[in-house]
Amino acid sequence: MLSDQPWLSQYSTHVPFELPISELSMIDIFEQTAAAKPGAPAIYYFDETISFEELDQRAGQFAALLAEWGIGHGDRVAISAQNDPEFLVVQYGAWKRGAIVVPLSPMFKAKEIAYQLADSGAKVYIAEDRIVDHELGDAHGVGHVLRLSEFGQAIAGFSGDVAHRVPVVPADIAYLVYTSGTTGPPKGAVGLHRHIAYNANTFRTWLSIDDGDVILGIAPLFHITGVVAQMALSALAGVPLILYHRFDGAETLRLIDKWKATTAVAAITAYIALLKEPHSGKLDSFTKCCTGGAPVSPVVVEEFEQRFGVRIHNTYGLTESNSPSHLTPLGRRGPVDAASGALAIGLPIPGCQARIVDLEDPSKILAVGEAGEIALRGPFLFDGYWNKPEVTEQAFHDGWFLTGDVAVMDADGWFYIVDRKKDMIVASGFKVWPRDVEDVLYQHPAVREAAVVGVPDAYRGETVKAVVALRAEFQDKVTAAEIIEFCRHRMASYKYPRIVEFVAEIPKTASGKFLRRALR
């Protein structure tokens, strides 16, 4: 029970202590919304409107194509796309067949794509033309590959009726969302339909979403935030989702004005980008703004409110928690931790049990004000890592998920992130595992040793820095710009180092491990 938790007194009056577990799958929820509001707008795509009925019809056509391909319950359907309507068509069409959606970043390069397709065992892959033509290669093991430019034509000949619909229950798997977590290589976090529905309902309840709301789709749809706070929330609440391919500051402001967007959950970098755009007046409709996924400066929050009249509410969550585990109540100003200067990440969501445990002994619960690891338990947590039972077991202690983030909790139940237990970097809300970058750096013939760390960045929250020791024969012959360019062509754009520092020797511990803290 949650009745003894200190944060309950801080809740807004409209937020209950617990929420019900969904008795419907996400595809049932979407179809109920489409039946109840057939003509209502589901998507605003730039200046175009797509109704719930139209979206459901297209999803049915894709489901029919999947049925022709023999795709059914439990099969994996992967997609690499920007924030375009086809993403939702693929998602809902896959779910109609009982399939599992595997969203992959369109920024991935060949090695990253190949690994996640193989690990998930995807039988279908829908991807941007560029990826299919230049990144996919021949040894991907996927039975059906379809370019996004050909998607509309491929489904056009199907009727989209219910003949190919199969039963889907809340305990079925909805997504495999890949995360580096606290140990690489990437792992597929298993999100069940009921997990996604629960946290979509959390956002709806916490943000008081009703028929007058419009969601601004800033977060990438392949990210857990886009999955839950955008697509699932839109389906559950029956409200429009604004999409516009990929983030652009000027276009974001235009579409906020045009469609009267009311709510968004976005990386702090997106809000910083909006501050750089010319815009007259306040964003009057835009009143329910949240951020998460990267450290947030209180100064940025204040500046945004002064400029646009909108208060940004800080949040916290992980892929494993299916987006939020902590939220700042709507209309509240999260406090700032006096010791660290960190802005509070919020209060635990309904149904969430959260505590601070000792970094070495997670069975030891720490007192108020003591720094330790955040541990979580609740109905929103993922169902483990795909085909990795040992890694899953290591991620939990006595039923509590260990986040890897170091925080403190104050006497009122507010949580503050003050450090990171592991070495994961969070750049613009994206997780970067240093080993992934180091593996690429070591492919350069001039690199003798390389250590990667995250360093503070005013725009990205953190940015990737590589500390490199060169081979003797390459001393004074290789520039930082050359190393950066080498990496840029071999990994996703958020991963490659923006800073390269050359050193004679990388500092190490007595056991030979890199002293990453010193490098930071």
Side-chain angles (χ1 to χ4, degrees):
M1 297 298 292
L2 303 177
S3 57
D4 61 343
Q5 303 299 337
W7 55 81
L8 296 184
S9 63
Q10 303 292 319
Y11 269 19
S12 300
T13 56
H14 70 279
V15 178
F17 296 161
E18 296 180 289
L19 292 170
I21 307 298
S22 178
E23 297 181 356
L24 297 174
S25 68
M26 278 306 304
I27 187 58
D28 290 326
I29 290 170
F30 168 72
E31 289 176 342
Q32 282 194 359
T33 296
K37 298 182 172 183
I43 299 171
Y44 292 133
Y45 186 59
F46 291 100
D47 299 319
E48 174 190 357
T49 300
I50 300 171
S51 71
F52 276 102
E53 183 178 42
E54 291 173 305
L55 180 56
D56 189 33
Q57 172 68 18
R58 295 183 194 179
Q61 290 176 296
F62 181 55
L65 175 61
L66 291 178
E68 186 174 276
W69 286 347
I71 303 302
H73 199 278
D75 290 330
R76 275 74 69 201
V77 175
I79 177 171
S80 292
Q82 301 286 354
N83 286 20
D84 299 312
E86 289 83 359
F87 201 114
L88 282 81
V89 174
V90 168
Q91 169 181 276
Y92 293 128
W95 283 349
K96 285 175 182 286
R97 295 293 300 157
I100 300 168
V101 178
V102 185
L104 304 183
S105 170
M107 295 182 283
F108 281 162
K109 301 297 184 182
K111 180 181 177 181
E112 298 160 312
I113 295 168
Y115 172 81
Q116 295 188 14
L117 289 178
D119 187 74
S120 66
K123 292 186 176 181
V124 177
Y125 185 37
I126 315 295
E128 293 181 345
D129 294 29
R130 171 190 57 81
I131 294 173
V132 175
D133 295 336
H134 300 293
E135 302 290 352
L136 191 54
D138 297 324
H140 49 72
V142 179
H144 302 276
V145 176
L146 187 60
R147 293 174 176 81
L148 273 179
S149 65
E150 301 169 344
F151 184 78
Q153 182 180 357
I155 67 173
F158 295 90
S159 66
D161 58 29
V162 298
H164 304 293
R165 175 74 154 86
V166 302
V168 181
V169 300
D172 284 338
I173 302 174
Y175 292 102
L176 296 183
V177 182
Y178 276 80
T179 174
S180 292
T182 55
T183 56
K187 304 174 292 293
V190 176
L192 308 183
H193 281 265
R194 60 177 168 82
H195 297 150
I196 308 304
Y198 188 92
N199 265 358
N201 194 24
T202 294
F203 274 122
R204 180 174 69 170
T205 304
W206 200 281
L207 298 177
S208 297
I209 301 296
D210 58 28
D211 287 345
D213 280 288
V214 178
I215 302 167
L216 180 67
I218 295 183
L221 296 182
F222 57 83
H223 191 277
I224 195 63
T225 301
V227 164
V228 177
Q230 294 176 179
M231 293 186 290
L233 179 58
S234 172
L236 181 68
V239 298
L241 171 61
I242 300 171
L243 299 178
Y244 48 109
H245 190 63
R246 63 185 301 174
F247 179 80
D248 175 84
E251 187 66 1
T252 299
L253 291 170
R254 183 183 79 84
L255 293 173
I256 291 174
D257 286 337
K258 177 177 176 61
W259 297 117
K260 305 304 177 189
T262 63
T263 184
V265 183
I268 195 63
T269 50
Y271 295 113
I272 293 172
L274 295 183
L275 284 170
K276 298 179 180 180
E277 295 290 335
H279 187 273
S280 58
K282 304 295 185 181
L283 299 174
D284 295 329
S285 69
F286 203 45
T287 58
K288 305 171 182 180
C289 299
C290 299
T291 189
V296 176
S297 167
V299 174
V300 173
V301 173
E302 296 298 332
E303 184 181 356
F304 197 88
E305 185 174 20
Q306 292 174 10
R307 169 80 181 280
F308 295 116
V310 181
R311 182 73 181 180
I312 300 173
H313 297 74
N314 204 10
T315 72
Y316 171 80
L318 311 97
T319 304
E320 291 89 344
S321 65
N322 289 291
S323 198
S325 67
H326 294 66
L327 293 168
T328 299
L330 194 62
R332 295 285 299 277
R333 294 177 180 270
V336 176
D337 179 48
S340 65
L343 178 66
I345 58 172
L347 304 167
I349 63 172
C352 173
Q353 293 175 281
R355 63 192 190 188
I356 305 295
V357 300
D358 186 81
L359 295 175
E360 301 298 328
D361 180 9
S363 63
K364 180 182 178 182
I365 304 172
L366 301 184
V368 165
E370 290 188 87
E373 185 173 5
I374 298 178
L376 301 173
R377 190 164 66 180
F380 51 87
L381 277 176
F382 76 132
D383 208 44
Y385 297 114
W386 180 255
N387 288 337
K388 291 179 173 57
E390 292 182 1
V391 178
T392 299
E393 184 178 358
Q394 294 167 5
F396 287 83
H397 177 79
D398 196 23
W400 291 78
F401 175 68
L402 303 176
T403 65
D405 285 315
V406 180
V408 296
M409 184 184 75
D410 68 20
D412 293 321
W414 291 91
F415 283 67
Y416 309 82
I417 299 288
V418 296
D419 203 344
R420 190 167 292 120
K421 182 180 179 181
K422 303 296 183 181
D423 296 315
M424 183 180 67
I425 302 164
V426 181
S428 297
F430 294 104
K431 296 177 181 178
V432 181
W433 185 247
R435 179 178 170 180
D436 287 349
V437 185
E438 291 164 0
D439 285 346
V440 173
L441 285 163
Y442 278 116
Q443 295 174 23
H444 194 289
V447 173
R448 177 167 57 86
E449 285 187 331
V452 169
V453 295
V455 294
D457 182 272
Y459 177 64
R460 305 175 81 212
E462 281 186 308
T463 198
V464 180
K465 175 183 177 180
V467 181
V468 174
L470 295 174
R471 297 181 186 276
E473 63 268 33
F474 288 94
Q475 296 292 335
D476 301 321
K477 295 181 180 179
V478 176
T479 66
E482 290 175 52
I483 298 293
I484 293 171
E485 190 67 8
F486 179 85
C487 294
R488 188 176 72 85
H489 287 291
R490 289 166 173 79
M491 61 182 66
S493 61
Y494 61 85
K495 288 185 179 181
Y496 74 84
R498 271 36 177 205
I499 303 169
V500 171
E501 178 183 352
F502 294 118
V503 295
E505 291 290 337
I506 296 177
K508 304 178 185 69
T509 66
S511 62
K513 295 180 181 179
F514 292 144
L515 283 169
R516 295 185 191 274
R517 189 175 296 275
L519 294 176
R520 294 189 189 101

